[in-house]
Amino acid sequence: MTSAASAARTFDSPLLEGLTDHGVYAGVEAGPDWVAEVRRLAKARNATILAHNYELPAIQDVADFVGDSLALSRIAADVPTDTIVFCGVHFMAETAKILSPEKTVLIPDQRAGCSLADSITAVELAQWKAEHPGAVVVSYVNTTAEVKALTDICCTSSNAVEVVESIPEDTEILFLPDQFLGAHVKRVTGRQNMHIWAGECHVHAGINGDELAAQAKAHPEADLYVHPECGCATSALYLAGEGAVPDDRVKILSTGGMLDAARETGAREVLVATEVGMLHQLRRAAPGVDFRAVNDRASCKYMKMITPAALLRCLVEGRDEVFVDPAMAAAGRSAVTRMIEIGQPGGGE
């Protein structure tokens, strides 16, 4: 057998015979055989598998590391493997490539986009900057490589306040793209010369204040974990301010912050306002706590495009590879590095 034929056999799997693609790769069951094949193929490719907190439970469980996008991108830069398989949406894989330009970065389905990242383009940002010469651009890490390249400092939801506070008070700030995170930061800092882009994550924006209030009423002893991207973040603070929920039980948290809080909580029940995939990691972190979604329909269709079939296909075929222009990557890396220098980004988005 030739070396080429041997390599072809190594990167093949009988499980792919069931693969179908009706918009989302399907037809492969995430059972023990699938787990064994994923691990075998990852080893053969010298690949590390990373999975975001919002991925399907089976994807999270088979990954080498699970976390938020920035934490995973930093892990990608540190692991010794040549290849990174990023189970998340496209901007996340781009961020990993920006921080690891020498590595091969694969995403199991390149069609997995992000409504928040797509809510501002590089052209729109360039026009906005031209209207505010001298302003500092602060971009959430949930942005495309093109937008990061035009950014002065990136931020995460856990350190956005610190990033904004690091900028001189008399300097204008253009904060993008999430309007709810921006409103939260402006409220906390009291910054008046901060302009906020009107972007949103369609999943988080859909978790509304009425749902939160109803759930809080139905579960009066529960803590509230609310992601600052949510449309209900202001409502959570209102409930606390009105005494409907004790102030110490309302927590505005990044995904990493939610996990930290879960490990330390004394609560028996927690209402969670974020994408429902997060419940899997929270339940693993604190199995004695009853974690409930504020909105059990808050599921990101793009995250769920990374199916067991898509991951297997990616490892067998070595695609889809993510590329970022080197000059663009260098500019984006500078924005991320400035953020890290300002303060530990902690739990990311």
Side-chain angles (χ1 to χ4, degrees):
M1 182 182 296
T2 67
S3 59
S6 178
R9 175 169 291 184
T10 297
F11 298 115
D12 194 8
S13 174
L15 298 184
L16 273 189
E17 293 176 3
L19 177 67
T20 60
D21 178 14
H22 301 294
V24 175
Y25 292 108
V28 175
E29 182 180 350
D33 290 345
W34 172 79
V35 172
E37 275 291 82
V38 167
R39 298 317 316 163
R40 179 185 72 82
L41 290 162
K43 183 177 180 180
R45 286 204 179 275
N46 191 28
T48 296
I49 301 174
L50 309 178
H52 191 270
N53 290 316
Y54 296 161
E55 290 297 319
L56 293 166
I59 300 296
Q60 295 187 38
D61 289 345
V62 81
D64 297 297
F65 298 93
V66 181
D68 63 75
S69 64
L70 182 62
L72 291 175
S73 293
R74 296 178 74 184
I75 288 169
D78 291 338
V79 294
T81 53
D82 302 321
T83 299
I84 301 299
V85 178
F86 207 120
C87 299
V89 294
H90 199 269
F91 82 81
M92 298 178 180
E94 282 186 336
T95 305
K97 184 66 176 179
I98 286 170
L99 295 183
S100 308
E102 76 289 351
K103 294 186 178 182
T104 297
V105 177
L106 306 176
I107 183 170
D109 194 332
Q110 65 177 346
R111 299 170 299 180
C114 173
S115 60
L116 178 57
D118 289 345
S119 66
I120 186 168
T121 66
V123 171
E124 289 171 327
L125 176 53
Q127 292 172 343
W128 201 27
K129 289 177 68 172
E131 294 167 5
H132 299 273
V136 171
V137 176
V138 177
S139 292
Y140 195 17
V141 290
N142 297 31
T143 46
T144 64
E146 291 89 347
V147 167
K148 285 185 177 72
L150 296 176
T151 294
D152 295 302
I153 314 173
C154 281
C155 74
T156 68
S157 60
S158 61
N159 74 353
V161 169
E162 287 74 19
V163 167
V164 167
E165 288 180 337
S166 74
I167 299 167
E169 292 186 4
D170 60 350
T171 301
E172 276 190 299
I173 295 173
L174 304 182
F175 188 96
L176 62 103
D178 191 87
Q179 60 183 312
F180 298 111
L181 177 59
H184 170 69
V185 173
K186 190 170 186 176
R187 180 170 56 243
V188 172
T189 63
R191 193 71 174 244
Q192 296 304 307
N193 57 351
M194 178 175 162
H195 308 284
I196 302 170
W197 189 260
E200 63 183 31
C201 161
H202 73 285
V203 175
H204 284 97
I207 306 174
N208 63 57
D210 290 342
E211 289 173 326
L212 182 68
Q215 290 277 21
K217 185 177 181 180
H219 303 276
E221 301 301 316
D223 280 3
L224 304 183
Y225 291 3
V226 181
H227 195 282
E229 283 183 38
C230 286
C232 65
T234 299
S235 297
L237 296 175
Y238 176 80
L239 289 173
E242 292 296 302
V245 179
D247 184 68
D248 63 349
R249 296 219 311 264
V250 176
K251 306 177 191 300
I252 309 297
L253 299 166
S254 65
T255 54
M258 288 182 183
L259 284 170
D260 291 340
R263 295 185 185 103
E264 299 173 1
T265 187
R268 298 177 62 184
E269 190 175 28
V270 176
L271 300 174
V272 182
T274 191
E275 210 273 354
V276 294
M278 189 66 204
L279 295 174
H280 185 60
Q281 287 301 311
L282 289 170
R283 288 164 178 162
R284 292 183 66 175
V289 179
D290 182 11
F291 292 98
R292 296 171 177 261
V294 169
N295 180 337
D296 60 10
R297 304 175 308 283
S299 177
C300 176
K301 65 179 181 180
Y302 301 113
M303 287 286 185
K304 273 50 177 182
M305 291 178 75
I306 310 302
T307 60
L311 176 55
L312 187 66
R313 163 191 167 273
C314 175
L315 288 166
V316 167
E317 300 179 1
R319 64 180 199 182
D320 297 325
E321 187 170 355
V322 174
F323 298 97
V324 178
D325 175 79
M328 185 182 297
R333 195 177 310 120
S334 174
V336 174
T337 300
R338 286 190 67 186
M339 172 190 67
I340 294 171
E341 289 172 350
I342 287 168
Q344 173 58 247
E349 84 278 347

